[in-house]
Amino acid sequence: MNMIKWLCFGVMLAGAVVVSFNLDPILGIELLFVGNAAWLVTAVRSQDWPSAANFAMLATVWLLGIVQYYIG
């Protein structure tokens, strides 16, 4: 389970680097969303509810950012 969390962290780190260097902001936000959503699934499967609540909130924020980018 720890290896999966490190992979999720790596995806989120890649998204943060993409956004930070202004390479492709929407790609970075999508990577952050995918990393957070994957970590959320991992947290729910391991019944780590505080972590699941935290990553559900973060995944929702990134999802709303993606929706706002494509709609508005």
Side-chain angles (χ1 to χ4, degrees):
M1 201 58 79
N2 283 336
M3 183 58 115
I4 294 171
K5 288 183 179 180
W6 277 108
L7 289 172
C8 296
F9 178 76
V11 170
M12 290 185 289
L13 181 63
V17 168
V18 169
V19 170
S20 294
F21 290 111
N22 204 17
L23 301 173
D24 186 3
I26 192 61
L27 174 65
I29 291 173
E30 288 170 351
L31 285 171
L32 285 164
F33 170 71
V34 168
N36 277 298
W39 198 313
L40 169 64
V41 170
T42 304
V44 168
R45 287 183 52 131
S46 64
Q47 296 182 350
D48 180 9
W49 302 119
S51 182
N54 182 36
F55 284 102
M57 177 191 63
L58 289 172
T60 303
V61 168
W62 295 124
L63 180 63
L64 291 175
I66 293 168
V67 168
Q68 181 181 7
Y69 177 83
Y70 284 115
I71 290 179

